Amino acid sequence: MKSQKTRFETIIQKLRDNGHKITPQRIAIVKIIAKSIGHPSVEDIYHQIKIDFPTMSLATVYRNIVLIKSLGEVLELGFPDGSNRYDGNKPYPHPHVICIKCKKIVDPDLDSLDNMTKEVEEETNFKILNHRLDFFGICSNCLAKKV
Amino acid sequence: MKSQKTRFETIIQKLRDNGHKITPQRIAIVKIIAKSIGHPSVEDIYHQIKIDFPTMSLATVYRNIVLIKSLGEVLELGFPDGSNRYDGNKPYPHPHVICIKCKKIVDPDLDSLDNMTKEVEEETNFKILNHRLDFFGICSNCLAKKV
DNA sequence: CTAAGTGCAAAGTCTTTGCAGCGCA
DNA sequence: TGCGCTGCAAAGACTTTGCACTTAG
């Protein structure tokens, strides 16, 4: 059985490799980013850390996200209302399914996407580098408890 | 040959139907939104109108976009960097192909999307209402003139 | 005529930045 | 020990809002 590095270890290693110091604040941020449970916002990350780390500053969260983004280890999901959510667990482009009621974000498995990229390249003559695919809807949970 | 309403007429009509006044400023904004050539930003719209309409205020552009959005007659495309672009020509969800060099936005024709929505619904048990699909790349033009 | 719309400027968000002090390597 | 990082507060970018004036219907 091959030992597999966790996302947390991978990101910390990459920070080290690029000459960045590993501070407690940074560790706390990477820990959350690496899991990205529910795809947290900056505020989510900030508040979560603030519990154990009362001096943590919002600026530090922002700075570290910019840094980790620049290393390609976190995916930023911006929405029209200006909110941003982060995914450091799967930092490569992949589809998201977003519940418009409870804001939960889920990752579906879709395989038809590669074909689509080719289709687009052929039709538009673009060299496609990247994509973003979101589905918006209502999750089974919120559907059930519709008041 | 059936007479087809232009997007401009449709939006103006919808404004009227909902009891909104048709002001010159509003006409100017709708004119640009209806065409949405290159998918303009708020600034684009503002500056374009400012030429013939020096008193036009940014606030008015924002207010009218909010209004037209609420009528479902313009699609707002928010990007991670915080910029927003608008499409009042095709105000329903559809894929976009964006050149990361010249910021041009093109609409490709893709037919495999409906299947994908069904696939997602089956897998996640969400009721999908909406989606957003963007491809990022480099257009043939920018590819050609790569320095 | 009169409620809706406009322009201006002020107030909000959210995010970034400058700077002094702190702490990891 | 030294440079990078943090925390704070101030500055920025973008968007919304309050208010008095204007105007479409």
Side-chain angles (χ1 to χ4, degrees), chain A residues 25 50 53-57:
Chain A
Q25 292 92 330
K50 194 101 190 178
F53 222 119
T55 70
M56 167 65 67
S57 137

Side-chain angles (χ1 to χ4, degrees), chain A residues 27 39 53 68 101 128:
Chain A
I27 291 175
H39 300 66
F53 222 119
I68 300 172
K101 296 278 185 193
I128 300 299

Side-chain angles (χ1 to χ4, degrees), chain B:
Chain B
M1 182 156 180
K2 179 162 146 279
S3 92
Q4 180 80 32
K5 242 193 219 152
T6 62
R7 283 295 302 150
F8 175 78
E9 290 161 347
T10 304
I11 299 174
I12 292 292
Q13 189 56 51
K14 196 142 182 183
L15 283 166
R16 248 194 261 280
D17 292 349
N18 286 69
H20 297 288
K21 294 181 178 172
I22 308 304
T23 65
Q25 292 92 331
R26 195 156 275 172
I27 291 176
I29 292 167
V30 173
K31 239 180 217 162
I32 294 174
I33 291 283
K35 290 216 179 73
S36 286
I37 296 168
H39 301 65
S41 66
V42 169
E43 285 289 316
D44 292 339
I45 298 169
Y46 174 63
H47 283 120
Q48 204 168 321
I49 297 177
K50 194 99 189 179
I51 297 169
D52 305 311
F53 221 120
T55 69
M56 166 65 66
S57 137
L58 246 187
T60 299
V61 179
Y62 278 111
R63 276 190 280 234
N64 276 286
I65 285 181
V66 170
L67 174 62
I68 300 172
K69 231 185 349 179
S70 77
L71 299 176
E73 292 296 335
V74 70
L75 189 70
E76 184 176 53
L77 297 173
F79 295 98
D81 67 352
S83 64
N84 282 311
R85 306 279 291 268
Y86 296 88
D87 188 344
N89 183 34
K90 295 162 79 178
Y92 47 86
H94 61 279
H96 292 92
V97 186
I98 298 133
C99 176
I100 59 174
K101 297 278 185 194
C102 66
K103 310 295 176 197
K104 181 168 52 188
I105 301 183
V106 165
D107 297 343
D109 284 323
L110 289 178
D111 22 50
S112 31
L113 211 57
D114 290 339
N115 299 330
M116 208 180 263
T117 302
K118 291 202 191 69
E119 201 180 328
V120 171
E121 291 200 321
E122 278 164 24
E123 196 193 314
T124 62
N125 289 317
F126 271 58
K127 173 74 199 147
I128 300 299
L129 304 170
N130 211 335
H131 70 264
R132 163 101 186 254
L133 173 54
D134 296 335
F135 292 91
F136 299 90
I138 304 174
C139 70
S140 51
N141 220 336
C142 289
L143 274 175
K145 66 178 178 205
K146 78 170 121 187
V147 190

Side-chain angles (χ1 to χ4, degrees), chain A residues 83-98:
Chain A
S83 64
N84 281 311
R85 306 279 292 268
Y86 296 88
D87 189 343
N89 182 35
K90 296 163 79 177
Y92 45 87
H94 62 278
H96 292 93
V97 187
I98 297 132

Side-chain angles (χ1 to χ4, degrees), chain A residues 39-99:
Chain A
H39 300 66
S41 66
V42 169
E43 286 287 316
D44 292 339
I45 298 169
Y46 174 63
H47 284 119
Q48 204 167 321
I49 297 177
K50 194 101 190 178
I51 297 170
D52 305 311
F53 222 119
T55 70
M56 167 65 67
S57 137
L58 247 186
T60 298
V61 179
Y62 278 111
R63 276 190 280 231
N64 276 286
I65 285 182
V66 170
L67 175 62
I68 300 172
K69 231 182 355 176
S70 76
L71 299 176
E73 293 296 334
V74 70
L75 188 70
E76 184 176 53
L77 297 173
F79 294 98
D81 66 353
S83 64
N84 281 311
R85 306 279 292 268
Y86 296 88
D87 189 343
N89 182 35
K90 296 163 79 177
Y92 45 87
H94 62 278
H96 292 93
V97 187
I98 297 132
C99 177

